[in-house]
Amino acid sequence: MNTVKTVRELRAAVARARGEGKRIGFVPTMGNLHSGHVALVTKAAQRADFVVASIFVNPLQFGANEDLGNYPRTLAADQEKLFDAGCNLLFAPGVEDMYPDGMAVQTRVSVPYLSEGLCGASRPGHFEGVATVVSKLFNMVQPDLAVFGEKDFQQLAVIRAMVRDLNLPVQILGEPTVRAADGLALSSRNGYLDDTQRAVAPVLYQVLSGIAEALRQGTRDFAEQISAAQARLLAAGLRPDYLEIRHAVTLQPAQAEDDDVVIIAAVYLGTTRLIDNLHVHLDNTQIRR
């Protein structure tokens, strides 16, 4: 696996692969890789002949009081994981490579509607930063397909909308959330948790699972389910940022007759913000009769 830092080197390597008739897969990351990232690269390697990954901690998607400065940088360990997963090329640019004229004058990509609410409400400008950097990376790599994790459910919806609306020739693939044995969704930010907090963190998945099971059993009083779940989170020491049941495609508040919903949440455990979701397909045949 080669590592390049400039757009020129990146494009030359991708051009060689494409000249050999290879299908290009792409996995953008911010580094500090874990098994969830490895699953993305593995899927890309299964679907493409030449896999490019990127590591770039994008300042454009961090708010003023967020953890940009403390975000873990673990390049050497990340390179080993990427190589083992079947990555062919790592693009690891600096901020000056991605934003050569500075971020203040950078053209921005905004995806309305899907970027609003949920994490978009709690992190103003976050999804604009995500859409901007992903669109730049797509133009740099020009992949045939790209793989994103379903843990960041709203982000995946935003990227799919951006690709559709801008007619980008990239197939977007989602990869199911990878979890620890106790159910906690893997995240680079899990490393911020101390031992006591780490023992409590799986309660988020347990609460989401409880709502999902109630919905599968026919419960459609969403407000009651959310209220009881919020109380359980608070009792465990998890402070909800949001906990909602949304339509899985539109991300609008779910209705009783919806078949395809997502139970989606963000919580604070100490100063660490955790996100998770469960995508649930429901049988509403009885409701429609």
Side-chain angles (χ1 to χ4, degrees):
M1 183 188 75
N2 292 326
T3 299
V4 297
K5 296 184 178 295
T6 68
V7 178
R8 182 177 179 179
E9 293 172 306
L10 168 69
R11 285 179 167 161
V14 172
R16 286 193 294 271
R18 196 173 293 284
E20 296 169 359
K22 294 180 178 178
R23 181 169 167 83
I24 309 300
F26 179 47
V27 179
T29 82
M30 291 205 302
N32 193 31
L33 305 183
H34 50 66
S35 297
H37 298 105
V38 170
L40 306 182
V41 177
T42 300
K43 174 171 275 191
Q46 291 169 347
R47 302 293 186 91
D49 308 301
F50 187 86
V51 177
V52 181
S54 65
I55 292 178
F56 177 62
V57 181
N58 176 33
L60 206 60
Q61 69 191 67
F62 284 79
N65 298 314
E66 294 185 333
D67 57 347
L68 173 62
N70 295 324
Y71 198 88
R73 275 77 166 176
T74 54
L75 181 60
D78 293 344
Q79 287 172 313
E80 291 185 16
K81 290 183 176 73
L82 290 170
F83 176 78
D84 291 341
C87 182
N88 302 103
L89 179 69
L90 170 60
F91 178 46
V95 174
E96 66 281 0
D97 299 300
M98 294 300 295
Y99 304 117
D101 297 319
M103 290 182 291
V105 297
Q106 169 65 44
T107 298
R108 309 293 179 99
V109 177
S110 178
V111 180
Y113 186 63
L114 289 171
S115 293
E116 299 162 8
L118 304 175
C119 283
S122 302
R123 306 181 68 188
H126 170 70
F127 287 118
E128 183 178 83
V130 169
T132 299
V133 77
V134 171
S135 66
K136 285 175 68 72
L137 289 166
F138 282 174
N139 281 315
M140 293 172 179
V141 178
Q142 298 187 344
D144 296 290
L145 62 89
V147 187
F148 294 84
E150 293 178 358
K151 179 179 74 71
D152 298 283
F153 198 90
Q154 187 177 13
Q155 173 180 277
L156 180 56
V158 166
I159 290 168
R160 282 178 165 149
M162 179 190 75
V163 166
R164 181 187 65 244
D165 292 349
L166 298 183
N167 303 106
L168 301 179
V170 184
Q171 180 186 10
I172 304 299
L173 303 177
E175 175 67 13
T177 302
V178 177
R179 301 183 180 278
D182 57 10
L184 179 64
L186 298 189
S187 170
S188 297
R189 289 185 169 93
N190 291 352
Y192 298 159
L193 302 173
D194 62 30
D195 290 344
T196 300
Q197 292 169 334
R198 177 61 186 82
V200 171
V203 171
L204 175 57
Y205 176 65
Q206 294 165 14
V207 166
L208 298 184
S209 298
I211 298 174
E213 183 58 26
L215 298 184
R216 292 189 186 102
Q217 294 298 323
T219 297
R220 293 296 180 271
D221 189 335
F222 297 156
E224 181 182 12
Q225 288 296 313
I226 293 299
S227 178
Q230 287 176 328
R232 185 179 175 193
L233 290 171
L234 287 167
L238 297 162
R239 178 167 58 87
D241 180 6
Y242 63 80
L243 172 60
E244 300 192 29
I245 303 172
R246 296 288 187 103
H247 189 282
V249 177
T250 67
L251 294 187
Q252 289 298 293
Q255 304 300 312
E257 64 272 15
D258 289 340
D259 293 315
D260 194 12
V261 303
V262 60
I263 309 159
I264 189 166
V267 301
Y268 286 95
L269 184 51
T271 59
T272 303
R273 188 172 183 272
L274 305 175
I275 64 172
D276 202 352
N277 68 84
L278 284 179
H279 189 180
V280 185
H281 298 279
L282 302 175
D283 181 2
N284 283 328
T285 305
Q286 297 296 326
I287 292 177
R288 296 197 186 93
R289 288 180 180 174

